[in-house]
Amino acid sequence: MIEQLILRRLKLPLKTPYRLAFAELVCFETLLIEARDEDGRKGFGEATYLPGYGSESLDDAWSIAQQIAPHLVNRRPDAARRAAALHLAGRPFTATAFVTAFEMLEDHPLLGPKAPARIPLLAGLNGTGEQEIEARLAEGYRTLKVKVGFDPDEDLKRVRQIQRRVAGRAELRLDANQGWTRDQALGFVGALDPAGIELLEQPCPAGDWEAAAAVAQAAPLPLMLDESIYRPSDIERAAQLGAAGMIKLKLMKLGGLEALAAALERIAELGMTAVLGNGVAGELGCWMEAAVARDRLAAAGEMNGFLRARMGLFATPLKVERGQLLLPADRPRVDPNRLADTCEAAAVFPSHAAVSVSIERICTDSVPTRS
């Protein structure tokens, strides 16, 4: 039975600004849900909100989370999971934070314990310089991500420079983050040399399926959809329209671990290739994605958002070695001191009136249990 729910707003400063076609981030803004049962066991779930990516925001999530939390305590985790999914239909990020907390509390088999594993990751390139490229290659990365989606002509010049410097020693993954119109995207792929390039991700706005299909048919390399994919019907639509050969999945958009695993299976059934991982997520979300990716994916994972943050939440931080995430056998432990350092606001349920309590009190392990 869920004895207590603890909601936290976290701010995770980044090591360096993260520039996308539609935003530049200096921190991750995260909703963290903690569920505790009568035996003192804990489960955690995360949602990190990215301005310009979907319709959800942390402010909206913080409000709605406090509204539904009183309805989820004093339930079994499986019942709370179903109720959260129902209450939060249309808010997949927020739903995922609740649902994964309950799945973790239930010791979901997707989260282990299992034997340690290594999950290949990609690394992002911030510029075109030889020093940065050589550093990423020396670290063992064999897939490098290049952000495009700005000016198509300048993007082409930049990609060509990187192709020459990489010289086939790693694959390039291009991500336009919805930055182009249909004509701009068609011009880009028409002038692009596909040598050494694995895929082009989401060149056009998420809702423009006709543009996606047109670019996919014209492109000399696979097109991957990301922002267009939020629900199973989007995967079906991409296959029916021939709008992508590859589908990018993120745990936060699917609403839970089981839904993510089911989406991976369906993509394979439809003859497409799945890529998994969130570059805008904390340690908790990245670990969960890596746990699901185990033995399921061949493409390099993108669950590398935790590497951008100055500090994670785990007592023993996730490690990367030779371009691979070292997935531990057991689930990591969230460090209460790290929670306290990153927590901006918090609330505990049950309470008589769903009132926020002091950060100093709630952001430690000394939260009182219900009397």
Side-chain angles (χ1 to χ4, degrees), residues 6-61:
I6 303 169
L7 283 50
R8 295 180 177 90
R9 287 183 67 138
L10 306 183
K11 179 173 283 188
L12 303 171
L14 304 186
K15 297 172 184 175
T16 59
Y18 182 35
R19 187 184 180 214
L20 304 135
F22 54 82
E24 183 171 281
L25 304 182
V26 296
C27 67
F28 288 165
E29 295 188 335
T30 298
L31 172 67
L32 187 76
I33 305 297
E34 179 180 350
R36 298 185 179 190
D37 67 12
E38 67 272 20
D39 296 321
R41 296 185 305 172
K42 303 174 187 177
F44 293 88
E46 171 201 346
T48 296
Y49 298 85
L50 173 59
Y53 191 106
S55 60
E56 293 180 86
S57 69
L58 180 56
D59 287 340
D60 173 69

Side-chain angles (χ1 to χ4, degrees), residues 125 128-137 144 162 165-166:
L125 292 179
T128 61
E130 184 175 355
Q131 184 175 0
E132 181 187 14
I133 291 170
E134 294 302 325
R136 300 293 83 78
L137 294 174
L144 304 176
I162 294 172
R165 286 172 176 161
V166 172

Side-chain angles (χ1 to χ4, degrees), residues 8-339:
R8 295 180 177 90
R9 287 183 67 138
L10 306 183
K11 179 173 283 188
L12 303 171
L14 304 186
K15 297 172 184 175
T16 59
Y18 182 35
R19 187 184 180 214
L20 304 135
F22 54 82
E24 183 171 281
L25 304 182
V26 296
C27 67
F28 288 165
E29 295 188 335
T30 298
L31 172 67
L32 187 76
I33 305 297
E34 179 180 350
R36 298 185 179 190
D37 67 12
E38 67 272 20
D39 296 321
R41 296 185 305 172
K42 303 174 187 177
F44 293 88
E46 171 201 346
T48 296
Y49 298 85
L50 173 59
Y53 191 106
S55 60
E56 293 180 86
S57 69
L58 180 56
D59 287 340
D60 173 69
W62 184 244
S63 176
I64 193 68
Q66 292 181 80
Q67 293 176 41
I68 73 163
H71 303 285
L72 302 177
V73 292
N74 299 319
R75 293 178 183 241
R76 296 189 312 274
D78 59 337
R81 179 160 40 89
R82 291 192 296 270
L86 179 63
H87 281 296
L88 294 167
R91 293 183 171 90
F93 278 50
T94 310
T96 298
F98 278 98
V99 170
T100 53
F102 302 144
E103 288 177 318
M104 186 175 178
L105 188 64
E106 293 178 287
D107 291 326
H108 198 287
L110 285 170
L111 297 181
K114 297 181 179 179
R118 290 175 171 261
I119 310 295
L121 297 180
L122 58 67
L125 292 179
N126 294 316
T128 61
E130 184 175 355
Q131 184 175 0
E132 181 187 14
I133 291 170
E134 294 302 325
R136 300 293 83 78
L137 294 174
E139 289 165 355
Y141 291 102
R142 292 299 173 260
T143 304
L144 304 176
K145 189 163 194 175
V146 180
K147 290 291 185 180
V148 293
F150 306 100
D151 177 273
D153 293 333
E154 292 301 315
D155 287 335
L156 274 170
K157 292 178 184 178
R158 184 161 163 263
V159 169
R160 288 167 182 160
Q161 289 177 330
I162 294 172
Q163 282 176 299
R164 287 195 296 270
R165 286 172 176 161
V166 172
R169 292 174 292 168
E171 285 192 307
L172 302 181
R173 193 175 287 180
L174 309 184
D175 184 5
N177 284 122
Q178 312 179 73
W180 296 322
T181 65
R182 170 178 170 158
D183 288 344
Q184 287 176 320
L186 288 171
F188 180 88
V189 299
L192 182 68
D193 176 3
I197 301 177
E198 179 188 18
L199 59 89
L200 171 63
E201 180 179 345
Q202 197 72 49
C204 301
D208 195 342
W209 288 90
E210 291 184 2
V215 177
Q217 292 167 19
L221 75 173
L223 189 73
M224 182 168 76
L225 293 181
D226 172 9
E227 288 91 339
S228 296
I229 308 299
Y230 266 89
R231 53 191 67 84
S233 60
D234 295 329
I235 297 171
E236 303 291 336
R237 188 175 187 181
Q240 291 167 3
L241 295 176
M246 305 180 77
I247 299 292
K248 168 83 165 289
L249 296 179
K250 297 177 180 177
L251 173 60
M252 288 182 205
K253 295 199 299 181
L254 271 295
L257 299 168
E258 290 185 358
L260 177 59
L264 289 171
E265 291 180 9
R266 184 57 180 155
I267 289 168
E269 291 171 355
L270 291 169
M272 297 186 291
T273 300
V275 170
L276 174 60
N278 194 345
V280 182
E283 230 176 1
L284 181 68
C286 291
W287 164 69
M288 287 184 171
E289 288 182 331
V292 176
R294 179 201 300 263
D295 303 324
R296 285 178 170 84
L297 297 176
E302 298 201 14
M303 58 288 293
N304 61 2
F306 72 98
L307 293 173
R308 295 189 168 94
R310 292 180 188 171
M311 182 178 67
L313 299 180
F314 292 159
T316 302
L318 292 178
K319 295 181 181 179
V320 174
E321 181 181 279
R322 300 301 302 163
Q324 298 175 320
L325 189 156
L326 305 184
L327 188 64
D330 298 317
R331 77 183 197 182
R333 183 177 68 85
V334 174
D335 186 336
N337 294 321
R338 290 172 178 260
L339 279 180

